[in-house]
Amino acid sequence: MARKAKPFPEEFRLENFKVKGCMSQVWLVPKLDDGKLNYLCDSDAMIVKGTVTLVSDIYSGNTAQEILNNDKNLMEELDLGNILSMNRRNGAYNMLNMVKEHAKIFTGENV
């Protein structure tokens, strides 16, 4: 997954796009295109870059409301609890939460 990630523009390596609680640096940037959220992402660690690319690919192309209405637990569905170390699990959980927080902002819900 990390190898197939799209190039990440340097101008988005900003603190406000960083996923908090990750041991490595992770950026997750929402962009609204024709009513759909699309994500740019990157990390300085290959495994984490693969994880954030997976999260980005899953949620990109959905409206903010579709993201909020999605009640699937990707941590369980993708078995991330067993695949990733505890620290990387926490980071993946924070990535998923950040996607939901972005969706709330784009729908105007209170964050």
Side-chain angles (χ1 to χ4, degrees), residues 2 10 19 21 26 29 32-33 37-38 41 45 49-50 55 57 65 75 79 82 90 98 103 105 107-108:
E10 288 298 316
V19 178
V26 182
V29 182
L32 192 62
D33 298 316
L37 278 171
N38 291 295
C41 63
K49 184 173 183 168
V55 168
D57 286 354
Q65 195 60 56
M75 292 295 289
D79 203 21
N82 290 321
N90 290 338
M98 191 170 192
I105 291 168
T107 60

Side-chain angles (χ1 to χ4, degrees), residues 21-24 48 84-94:
C22 292
M23 292 188 69
S24 54
V48 178
L84 301 174
S85 68
M86 182 184 298
N87 288 334
R88 288 198 172 113
R89 248 189 329 255
N90 290 338
Y93 180 78
N94 291 337

Side-chain angles (χ1 to χ4, degrees), residues 44-55:
D44 60 355
M46 285 300 279
I47 290 174
V48 178
K49 184 173 183 168
T51 304
V52 74
T53 299
L54 179 65
V55 168

Side-chain angles (χ1 to χ4, degrees), residues 27 37-38 62 109:
W27 295 270
L37 278 171
N38 291 295
N62 290 286
E109 287 190 23

Side-chain angles (χ1 to χ4, degrees), residues 58-110:
I58 288 170
Y59 286 105
S60 285
N62 290 286
T63 66
Q65 195 60 56
E66 288 169 337
I67 291 171
L68 291 176
N69 291 344
N70 183 340
D71 60 355
K72 291 183 180 183
N73 183 338
L74 290 182
M75 292 295 289
E76 286 181 19
E77 277 197 36
L78 300 175
D79 203 21
L80 295 178
N82 290 321
I83 296 170
L84 301 174
S85 68
M86 182 184 298
N87 288 334
R88 288 198 172 113
R89 248 189 329 255
N90 290 338
Y93 180 78
N94 291 337
M95 292 172 205
L96 294 168
N97 279 341
M98 191 170 192
V99 166
K100 295 285 186 173
E101 293 303 314
H102 289 148
K104 286 179 183 177
I105 291 168
F106 283 99
T107 60
E109 287 190 23
N110 292 333

